[in-house]
Amino acid sequence: MPLSLISLDTLFQSLWVLRYIDKGVFTMQANEGFRLERDCLGEMQLPNTSYWGIQTERMRHVSGVARLPIIFYPGIVYALAEIKKAAAKANASIGVLEEDIARAIVQASDEVIAGQFDDQFPLDMWQGGGYTCLNMNVNEVIGNRANEILTGHKEQDRVHPNTHVNKAQSTNDTIPSATHLAIAPQLEAIVKELRLMEKAFRAKSAEFAHIVKVGRTCWQDALPLTLGQEFSGFAELMRRLANKLTAHRAGCDELVMGGSAVGTGLGADPSYQTAFYRYLSESLGRPIKPMANLFDGFQNPDFFVTTSGLIKEVATSISKISKDLRLMSSGPRAGWQEIELPALSPGSSIMPGKINPTVPEMVIQVAHQVMGNDVAISIAYDDGELDLNVWDATFYKCLFESMQLVEGSLKLLRTHCVEGIKANSARCAEEANGSIALSTVPAALFDYPTGVKVAHYAQSHRLNVKEAVVEMGLMNEEEAEKMIDPLLMTDPEKMAQALATFREQKKSALKNE
């Protein structure tokens, strides 16, 4: 046949196969032949080196807009393999799938879960059709491998990707269910990092317990507090976020498997669903159950919106803390300089000695991306129609990107920033003692107008409040030293007792005059 009459696809397929290498980087390798596969659109020659089949090959040619393969976040692929394994066991146990085929599917699924076929999932993260292409990619890889186990070769003569691997299933129940399962370990990883971050903040809270500093509200001087108290707030936030994610994690184990295409379960034996959940629970080592209403599950993937919202909450929380750390460490001469962050790299290509808060700034940028992903997920949920939401690619790509970014940000912020923070106690004390907000003490002891007079006097005469109350004759030096104490003001019980004692002493003094 003249070369001009050979289609480029056929020539390509007979000579080369796309190989996945190192999470998204592909290269071409020569192969030693091809096989013929058929689907509802026709037939196609496929390289014998590939385990993916005709439907994956069709989509591969209209794939790649992001140049990011789905396997970059492999959890959904492995979760799909768990589903295929449980389905094969269930179908065999109720007598609708041959035992040898089921065993081959189980072995092939285990090999996929072990990562042995990561290079056989070449499709891009962005795909239409509710990720039918991904479901079929997994069906084809497992099917060809199972066929190879039974016959020594790939093809569909013994094990078919639809008839056997996808038996009693639909893309519509497998993809959302696999996404639920894949979210679980990611949430657990973030919870682990939140617990470690809480521990790091609590350690700093204890270390800085007696370092008094000025409080700030609306970027203005406020009442004093200790640096330890400030860090205790950070720690408590981490604890609360970890608890929220832990409570939400339970929803990962509620699936729509058994609902098939729209929730009715058509295509599955009546006893299949019970057997499926039993085998999947055994494989995963925890109870997995169907959602209370499968029609609700198909129509409304609000679980992903809630998950995204929680991940956004974590991202924005550590972003807010990172902004605080940037402000508190600003300087070293013209800023607040209350704390010192670890110096990781020079901060300027022109100004010698400048050090930037690079890790907190990275965390803030991650929050920008996570907030954008959350908007995309919200829109995808809103765009669902009638009996199925088909925007699985948006849910999966955006959600797993957010979870990966947040987990990594928590770890980097803790290990390369928080754990190495040092306090500038002298600077903190200087600011606390110089704050005009200490005029709150004379306001509490006498009345509010007196407190205002003290604040104005201190400001106009360039005095601190302790000096001002002495010059104004409101207190003697001993009384001022005791009462205008920023550290005392950080302890409500001790401060209340000191105020009461001062008032009693003044009353006694007036009686004795």
Side-chain angles (χ1 to χ4, degrees):
M1 180 183 295
L3 184 61
S4 60
L5 298 181
I6 302 176
S7 74
L8 291 177
D9 273 357
T10 301
L11 182 63
F12 172 82
Q13 294 155 13
S14 63
L15 295 176
W16 306 97
V17 59
L18 194 63
R19 281 289 192 185
Y20 163 95
I21 294 180
D22 194 23
K23 286 192 176 180
V25 179
F26 292 88
T27 187
M28 311 306 295
Q29 290 186 344
N31 71 79
E32 299 176 354
F34 56 88
R35 66 184 185 275
L36 192 66
E37 288 194 9
R38 297 174 179 82
D39 64 8
C40 63
L41 295 180
E43 60 184 29
M44 184 183 293
Q45 292 174 335
L46 289 152
N48 278 330
T49 49
S50 73
Y51 282 87
W52 73 70
I54 184 171
Q55 293 193 49
T56 304
E57 184 68 11
R58 289 190 191 281
M59 291 305 299
R60 191 175 65 79
H61 290 290
V62 291
S63 178
V65 293
R67 298 185 181 180
L68 182 69
I70 296 171
I71 195 67
F72 186 80
Y73 303 119
I76 193 170
V77 173
Y78 302 156
L80 281 167
E82 289 282 5
I83 287 170
K84 305 302 173 182
K85 180 169 71 170
K89 288 181 177 181
N91 285 317
S93 72
I94 61 178
V96 296
L97 183 65
E98 296 173 53
E99 288 286 348
D100 61 337
I101 292 178
R103 284 194 298 271
I105 290 173
V106 168
Q107 179 182 333
S109 297
D110 282 334
E111 291 171 355
V112 169
I113 294 165
Q116 296 180 27
F117 293 97
D118 282 1
D119 61 347
Q120 296 299 309
F121 300 98
L123 298 178
D124 192 75
M125 195 70 70
W126 291 111
Q127 294 286 341
Y131 264 173
T132 298
C133 58
L134 172 58
N135 184 40
M136 284 310 303
N137 190 176
V138 173
N139 287 334
E140 289 174 337
V141 170
I142 291 174
N144 272 311
R145 175 57 183 144
N147 205 83
E148 187 177 59
I149 290 167
L150 293 176
T151 68
H153 60 264
K154 303 178 183 70
E155 295 188 23
Q156 303 172 354
D157 52 327
R158 189 75 178 86
V159 182
H160 192 279
N162 298 80
T163 304
H164 302 113
V165 184
N166 198 62
K167 189 172 184 62
Q169 304 154 59
S170 165
T171 294
N172 299 355
D173 62 358
T174 57
I175 293 297
S177 296
T179 305
H180 271 234
L181 294 176
I183 286 171
Q186 298 302 116
L187 288 181
E188 290 165 3
I190 293 172
V191 168
K192 178 182 176 181
E193 288 299 331
L194 284 167
R195 299 295 187 198
L196 290 170
M197 185 69 90
E198 177 194 354
K199 184 178 179 180
F201 278 133
R202 292 207 187 279
K204 289 298 171 183
S205 178
E207 181 183 344
F208 303 152
H210 301 296
I211 298 176
V212 67
K213 57 160 284 183
V214 67
R216 290 186 174 86
T217 59
C218 302
W219 282 58
Q220 303 297 306
D221 296 354
L223 290 172
L225 74 166
T226 68
L227 193 58
Q229 288 170 329
E230 206 160 42
F231 273 71
S232 74
F234 299 159
E236 186 62 19
L237 175 58
M238 297 300 102
R239 184 197 66 80
R240 189 167 66 253
L241 290 170
N243 288 347
K244 285 183 179 181
L245 264 63
T246 298
H248 180 68
R249 157 69 182 79
C252 294
D253 295 336
E254 296 183 359
L255 314 182
V256 292
M257 288 304 301
S260 189
V262 294
T264 60
L266 184 65
D269 187 275
S271 55
Y272 159 79
Q273 188 183 80
T274 300
F276 170 85
Y277 282 100
R278 183 175 74 251
Y279 284 113
L280 186 61
S281 297
E282 288 176 0
S283 180
L284 296 178
R286 63 182 189 269
I288 310 296
K289 61 182 181 180
M291 293 183 68
N293 185 308
L294 295 183
F295 301 103
D296 168 36
F298 276 72
Q299 296 165 13
N300 309 306
D302 51 297
F303 178 79
F304 302 143
V305 180
T306 305
T307 304
S308 178
L310 287 170
I311 299 304
K312 180 186 69 174
E313 188 174 349
V314 176
T316 52
S317 294
I318 59 175
S319 175
K320 184 270 177 188
I321 291 173
S322 294
K323 291 171 186 175
D324 290 346
L325 297 178
R326 288 176 78 226
L327 290 172
M328 294 160 69
S329 65
S330 60
R333 298 291 176 85
W336 293 354
Q337 202 188 357
E338 296 174 349
I339 60 173
E340 180 182 332
L341 306 183
L344 301 177
S345 66
S348 173
S349 60
I350 187 173
M351 294 175 283
K354 184 174 185 289
I355 306 296
N356 293 335
T358 52
V359 171
E361 289 177 346
M362 182 270 308
V363 171
I364 294 165
Q365 290 177 106
V366 164
H368 299 162
Q369 181 64 62
V370 172
M371 285 186 275
N373 286 344
D374 184 63
V375 171
I377 289 168
S378 299
I379 293 171
Y381 176 58
D382 181 60
D383 276 346
E385 311 97 351
L386 301 174
D387 301 309
L388 181 70
N389 187 303
V390 301
W391 311 114
D392 298 277
T394 303
F395 293 135
Y396 191 75
K397 189 269 181 188
C398 294
L399 187 52
F400 277 75
E401 180 180 55
S402 291
M403 290 190 292
Q404 181 191 59
L405 289 172
V406 167
E407 179 193 353
S409 295
L410 281 163
K411 185 173 183 178
L412 280 175
L413 183 63
R414 172 175 55 85
T415 59
H416 291 281
C417 183
V418 173
E419 291 177 345
I421 291 175
K422 297 177 182 178
N424 187 341
S425 56
R427 173 71 170 179
C428 288
E430 178 187 354
E431 290 181 338
N433 282 289
S435 173
I436 299 299
L438 299 186
S439 59
T440 304
V441 174
L445 287 172
F446 304 105
D447 52 43
Y448 187 82
T450 300
V452 172
K453 290 177 183 178
V454 171
H456 288 169
Y457 190 89
Q459 187 76 356
S460 62
H461 289 79
R462 295 184 177 276
L463 301 173
N464 62 37
V465 171
K466 188 183 297 184
E467 294 165 338
V469 294
V470 173
E471 283 199 10
M472 294 172 70
L474 296 170
M475 299 181 192
N476 59 39
E477 290 187 3
E478 184 181 350
E479 290 171 335
E481 190 67 33
K482 182 178 180 180
M483 297 304 300
I484 313 299
D485 179 0
L487 188 58
L488 177 64
M489 295 172 70
T490 67
D491 188 324
E493 291 185 7
K494 290 182 179 180
M495 189 68 212
Q497 183 60 47
L499 290 170
T501 300
F502 182 88
R503 293 188 189 104
E504 286 299 322
Q505 290 173 346
K506 287 298 182 184
K507 286 181 182 179
S508 297
L510 288 172
K511 286 181 181 180
N512 295 330
E513 288 181 359

